[in-house]
C-alpha cells in the first residue's frame, strides 16, 4: 500500500491511503489520524490500512478523491528521529579523491551515519529555501526506510522485520559550509538544509521482486531543469544495506517507532548512469580537468527525483522542487 500525509492546519497532516497508480486517495482518519499514529500502533493499523488500500485499488471506495502531490507534506512531516547514512562508498571515495584524500579502511567496516534535523521536513513539491547561492546548494537523492520500535543490539537478520515503509529523499547539502563545520569535529548542523521526502511512503510488498528485504533493485532518476543528471542503480554498490544500517543505529540504544533512516546518495562505481548529486559530477570534473565545470544550484533551478518500476510506473511519486531565496 501507499500512504501520504495530506496538508491541513496541523503540523503532522492527515493520513491518507493512495492508489497504486497515484491517481486516487481516501482518508484513513478512522484508522489513524497521522502516519506517526499508525506507526505507533502498526500491528493493529497495518491490516486495516491494507484492507482500505485494496478496496481503493479495486474501485470500491465511494469517498475517494483525486490525488495531487502538491497537496501533501512529506509522509512524516516531522519525525522523532532522522538518521542519514552514507552506504554507497563509491560516493565517499570519489568526493574524497577530488580533494586529494584517501578513504580510510575503517569506512569498510563501520557505516557512516549522522543524526539530522527532523523537527520538520519539506513537502515533496514545496520549494527548497536557502539564504544564498554562495552556500553551494546541492541535492542528495536517496532511498529511506521508516521503522517501528527497534530494540537495542538488533542484528541485521532481525532488523529486516522492523522495516515497515520506504520513501525517496532529497537531502539538501550546503557544500561550501560543510567542510569548515566538519573540521570542528562535531558533525553536521548548518551544512544541511531542510530534507524533503517523496509524496508517498510504500510498504515493501509494493516493490515486489525489486525489494529483497535489504535493498531496492531499481534506478533512482534525477533531473535538474529538465536535464537528466543520472539514474544510478539503488541496488548496486550499496556497501551497507538497510538491515545493516538499522543494526548499526541500535548498537547502543533502541529506536523509536517512526525512525527514518536514509541510505545516503545513491552512487555506482560505474559512472555511466550519471549521478544523484552535483558534487559527484564536480568531483569527476576536478579529477579530469583540475577544476569543476558544473555549478551548484542557482535560484530558479528545479530538481526532480523519481523512481520508476520495470513497467515505467512511478513508485513513490516525484519530489519536484524549485530552489528559492529565503525572504523574511
Amino acid at each position: 500500500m501507499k500512504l501520504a500525509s495530506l496538508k491541513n492546519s496541523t503540523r503532522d497532516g492527515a493520513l491518507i491511503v493512495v492508489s497504486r497508480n497515484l491517481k486516487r486517495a481516501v482518508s484513513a482518519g478512522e484508522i489513524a489520524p497521522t502516519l506517526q499514529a499508525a506507526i505507533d500502533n502498526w500491528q493493529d493499523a497495518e491490516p486495516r490500512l491494507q484492507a482500505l488500500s485494496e478496496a481503493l485499488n479495486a474501485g470500491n471506495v465511494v469517498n475517494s478523491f483525486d490525488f495531487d502531490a502538491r497537496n501533501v507534506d512529506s509522509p512524516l512531516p516531522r519525525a522523532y528521529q532522522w538518521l542519514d547514512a552514507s552506504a554507497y562508498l563509491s560516493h565517499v571515495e570519489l568526493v574524497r579523491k577530488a580533494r586529494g584524500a584517501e578513504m580510510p579502511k575503517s569506512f569498510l567496516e563501520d557505516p557512516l551515519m549522522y543524526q539530522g534535523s527532523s523537527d520538520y521536513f519539506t513537502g515533496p513539491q514545496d520549494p527548497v529555501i536557502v539564504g544564498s547561492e554562495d552556500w553551494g546548494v546541492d541535492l542528495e537523492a536517496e532511498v529511506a526506510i521508516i521503522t517501528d520500535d527497534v530494540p537495542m543490539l538488533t542484528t541485521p537478520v532481525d532488523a529486516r522485520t522492523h522495516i515497515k515503509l520506504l520513501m525517496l529523499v532529497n537531502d539538501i547539502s550546503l557544500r561550501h559550509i560543510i567542510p569548515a563545520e566538519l573540521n570542528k569535529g562535531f558533525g553536521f548542523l548548518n551544512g544541511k538544509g531542510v530534507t524533503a521526502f517523496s509524496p508517498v511512503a510504500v510498504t515493501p510488498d509494493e516493490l515486489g521482486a525489486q525489494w529483497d528485504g535489504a535493498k531496492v533493485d531499481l534506478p533512482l532518476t534525477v533531473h535538474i531543469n529538465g536535464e537528466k543528471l543520472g539514474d544510478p542503480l539503488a541496488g548496486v554498490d550499496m556497501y551497507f544495506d538497510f538491515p545493516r544500517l538499522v543494526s548499526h543505529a541500535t548498537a547502543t540504544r533502541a529506536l523509536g517507532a517512526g525512525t527514518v533512516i536514509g541510505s545516503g546518495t545513491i552512487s555506482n562505481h560505474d559512472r555511466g548512469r550519471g549521478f544523484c548529486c552535483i558534487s559527484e559530477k564536480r568531483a569527476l570534473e576536478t579529477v579530469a580537468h583540475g577544476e569543476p565545470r558544473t555549478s551548484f544550484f542557482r535560484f530558479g533551478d528545479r530538481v526532480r527525483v523519481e523512481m520508476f518500476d520495470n513497467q515505467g510506473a512511478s513508485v513513490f511519486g516525484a519530489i519536484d522542487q524549485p530552489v528559492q531565496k529565503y525572504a523574511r
Side-chain angles (χ1 to χ4, degrees):
M1 64 182 161
K2 301 187 177 187
L3 304 174
S5 293
L6 193 66
K7 292 179 179 179
N8 61 14
S9 59
T10 72
R11 296 190 181 194
D12 297 304
L15 181 62
I16 59 174
V17 174
V18 181
S19 63
R20 186 165 291 113
N21 62 9
L22 302 174
K23 293 184 181 296
R24 302 291 291 173
V26 62
S27 170
E30 292 186 1
I31 301 172
T34 65
L35 182 55
Q36 181 62 53
I39 290 289
D40 284 339
N41 192 28
W42 193 247
Q43 187 171 0
D44 175 68
E46 190 273 338
R48 298 171 65 194
L49 290 168
Q50 188 66 53
L52 183 58
S53 174
E54 291 171 4
L56 176 65
N57 283 307
N60 296 330
V61 174
V62 296
N63 55 343
S64 66
F65 54 89
D66 290 339
F67 178 69
D68 188 336
R70 294 172 295 183
N71 297 331
V72 297
D73 285 312
S74 286
L76 281 174
R78 55 179 174 170
Y80 290 115
Q81 183 160 226
W82 157 233
L83 305 174
D84 200 14
S86 193
Y88 294 84
L89 295 186
S90 56
H91 169 75
V92 180
E93 188 175 30
L94 177 58
V95 172
R96 292 179 70 91
K97 181 179 180 181
R99 64 173 188 260
E102 292 186 0
M103 186 176 71
K105 291 183 179 179
S106 62
F107 286 16
L108 299 172
E109 302 165 2
D110 205 31
L112 291 167
M113 186 178 288
Y114 75 95
Q115 189 169 31
S117 172
S118 61
D119 49 337
Y120 71 99
F121 296 128
T122 301
Q125 298 200 9
D126 293 339
V128 176
I129 304 295
V130 292
S132 172
E133 292 177 347
D134 295 337
W135 290 355
V137 185
D138 195 3
L139 82 148
E140 293 193 34
E142 314 176 16
V143 177
I145 59 169
I146 301 176
T147 74
D148 62 1
D149 290 302
V150 189
M152 185 170 70
L153 294 175
T154 293
T155 66
V157 172
D158 290 340
R160 290 176 176 240
T161 66
H162 294 284
I163 299 171
K164 301 305 180 186
L165 294 164
L166 295 100
M167 307 181 287
L168 302 182
V169 190
N170 179 16
D171 178 39
I172 295 298
S173 294
L174 308 175
R175 301 297 186 185
H176 294 160
I177 293 177
I178 286 174
E181 189 165 59
L182 291 183
N183 284 340
K184 296 178 182 179
F186 218 56
F188 294 113
L189 179 65
N190 292 325
K192 288 292 185 177
V194 179
T195 307
F197 294 86
S198 51
V200 301
V202 311
T203 48
D205 60 284
E206 288 289 333
L207 293 163
Q210 275 58 62
W211 171 253
D212 63 0
K215 302 176 183 178
V216 178
D217 186 22
L218 288 170
L220 183 57
T221 303
V222 177
H223 286 85
I224 296 177
N225 298 328
E227 182 177 341
K228 183 185 283 189
L229 181 66
D231 59 350
L233 298 169
V236 175
D237 299 322
M238 189 179 189
Y239 195 83
F240 299 105
D241 62 24
F242 280 114
R244 179 70 175 86
L245 296 179
V246 172
S247 179
H248 174 75
T250 64
T252 59
R253 57 180 174 171
L255 303 180
T259 292
V260 183
I261 300 179
S263 65
T265 307
I266 308 299
S267 177
N268 298 155
H269 286 293
D270 179 357
R271 311 293 174 181
R273 299 187 68 100
F275 314 98
C276 277
C277 68
I278 297 172
S279 63
E280 276 198 17
K281 186 175 184 182
R282 287 169 57 91
L284 271 186
E285 291 169 346
T286 299
V287 171
H289 308 293
E291 62 180 7
R293 297 182 175 181
T294 301
S295 68
F296 290 120
F297 285 126
R298 304 294 186 190
F299 297 136
D301 286 346
R302 192 170 201 100
V303 57
R304 186 179 179 96
V305 178
E306 197 163 11
M307 181 173 277
F308 301 94
D309 64 19
N310 290 335
Q311 288 71 49
S314 182
V315 179
F316 302 89
I319 301 173
D320 191 350
Q321 300 178 281
V323 179
Q324 295 180 7
K325 182 176 176 59
Y326 172 70
R328 283 188 188 277

